[in-house]
């Protein structure tokens, strides 16, 4: 039987790195005139308190065996804390499997974009939505093609859940997409039942085609927005995230 073992948050290399360097890092950014946005500072500070009993804990008592346990508070951070993000990820995965995803094969598609576009995506939710739309539609079209159901057009339906990540492995600003897409499409039979058509693994060439199509369509979007003068406006000064860039 495995019992709950409190993690020793303050012993992790990440905790040490943040604890030892946060003040210097924040002061350095301030000096360079590129202060770190307040919500990032807040997340870092909360991380340093997360799972550390000195910053607050619950004492849990078990009536059955009479034992007490100390359960430190967690920071519930969304951006940075690996423990809280990990727990949220596990809960989300369980919910997706129990309640959302049908019993069908799922493939993960990841889309990253060139640097200049990352900057734009960090500024602008509408761009995130637009690029995401292009990405999924292109993946769905590839699935339809590979199941031979292109002729049904949009009536052959794909399904996906996407997580938009704001950071890359090195905690650099890197907006990118992780899409869990059903690896096939559904069609509807005459009596209204749903039929799943598996697509199977895409070849490297097919993945290349998807990338090329997404790139072409996003370039098209950029060109149209540029023509419409969309990029002349000053970025929203409320959105401080881009200050992290570079
Ligand atoms: Zn007990
Ligand atoms: Zn935490």
């Amino acid at each position: 039987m495995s019992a709950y073992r409190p993690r020793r948050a303050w012993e992790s290399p990440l905790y040490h790195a943040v604890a030892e360097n946060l003040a210097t890092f924040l002061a350095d950014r301030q000096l360079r005139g590129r202060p770190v946005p307040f919500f990032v500072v807040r997340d870092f500070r909360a991380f340093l308190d997360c799972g550390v009993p000195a910053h607050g804990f619950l004492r849990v008592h078990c009536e059955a065996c009479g034992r007490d346990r100390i359960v430190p508070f967690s920071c519930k951070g969304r951006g940075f804390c690996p423990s809280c993000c990990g727990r949220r990820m596990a809960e989300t995965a369980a919910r997706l499997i129990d309640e959302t995803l049908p019993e069908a094969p799922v493939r993960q598609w990841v889309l990253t974009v060139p640097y200049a576009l990352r900057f734009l995506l960090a500024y602008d939710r509408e761009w995130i939505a637009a690029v995401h739309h292009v990405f999924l539609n292109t993946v769905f079209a590839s699935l339809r093609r590979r199941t031979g159901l292109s002729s049904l057009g949009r009536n052959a339906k794909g399904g996906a859940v996407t997580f938009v990540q704001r950071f890359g492995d090195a905690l650099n600003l890197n907006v990118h997409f992780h899409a869990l897409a059903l690896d096939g499409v559904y069609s509807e039979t005459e009596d209204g039942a749903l039929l799943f058509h598996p697509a199977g693994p895409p070849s490297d060439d097919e993945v290349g085609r998807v990338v090329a199509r997404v790139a072409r369509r996003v370039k098209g979007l950029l060109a149209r927005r540029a023509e419409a003068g969309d990029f002349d406006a000053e970025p929203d000064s409320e959105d401080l995230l881009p200050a992290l860039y570079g």
Side-chain angles (χ1 to χ4, degrees):
M1 207 181 84
S2 70
Y4 168 76
R5 301 253 307 279
R7 71 200 165 90
R8 301 169 69 82
W10 56 94
E11 289 179 354
S12 81
L14 181 63
Y15 189 93
H16 279 282
V18 175
E20 281 162 25
N21 297 299
L22 181 60
T24 316
F25 171 68
L26 296 179
D28 179 66
R29 301 296 299 203
Q30 192 83 43
L31 280 176
R32 288 165 193 252
R34 306 194 70 176
V36 176
F38 74 94
F39 54 86
V40 177
V41 178
R42 186 190 58 201
D43 258 27
F44 270 122
R45 296 228 161 100
F47 164 70
L48 291 177
D49 289 351
C50 181
V52 180
H55 297 292
F57 59 85
L58 278 178
R59 186 183 291 275
V60 186
H61 178 73
C62 174
E63 292 288 347
C65 71
R67 281 204 217 168
D68 281 350
R69 285 241 178 256
I70 301 276
V71 182
F73 291 147
S74 58
C75 72
K76 312 269 191 300
R78 285 183 173 273
F80 179 73
C81 176
S83 170
C84 292
C85 289
R87 177 183 314 164
R88 188 169 292 114
M89 192 165 69
E91 286 169 359
T92 304
R95 202 172 57 239
L96 282 177
I97 288 167
D98 292 345
E99 297 170 18
T100 310
L101 295 173
E103 284 196 25
V106 169
R107 184 176 303 280
Q108 176 173 228
W109 294 77
V110 179
L111 179 72
T112 60
V113 298
Y115 280 104
L117 195 53
R118 287 179 200 176
F119 192 44
L120 190 61
L121 291 179
Y123 265 118
D124 193 334
R125 277 165 212 269
E126 279 180 30
W127 267 104
I128 290 183
V131 171
H132 178 235
H133 187 76
V134 167
F135 174 38
L136 281 194
N137 278 339
T138 310
V139 169
F140 291 161
S142 161
L143 291 167
R144 275 197 294 269
R145 222 172 22 251
R146 284 185 286 128
T147 48
L149 292 181
S150 290
S151 58
L152 284 182
R154 306 252 155 167
N155 290 326
K157 288 201 176 7
V161 178
T162 305
F163 295 89
V164 180
Q165 306 269 336
R166 286 194 164 268
F167 295 95
D169 290 345
L171 289 179
N172 50 333
L173 181 65
N174 176 6
V175 177
H176 62 286
F177 304 86
H178 289 251
L180 298 173
L182 301 181
D183 209 22
V185 290
Y186 280 95
S187 68
E188 208 174 340
T189 61
E190 278 177 10
D191 53 357
L194 290 178
L195 207 60
F196 185 72
H197 308 263
S203 64
D204 288 352
D205 282 350
E206 180 62 15
V207 173
R209 273 192 290 276
V210 169
V211 172
R213 286 195 173 122
V214 171
R216 201 174 58 232
R217 286 173 189 168
V218 170
K219 270 189 207 159
L221 277 181
L222 285 167
R224 281 199 295 283
R225 296 274 179 104
E227 264 172 37
D230 258 21
F231 301 130
D232 299 341
E234 282 292 300
D236 187 352
S237 60
E238 290 292 293
D239 191 350
L240 291 165
L241 196 61
L244 267 182
Y245 185 76

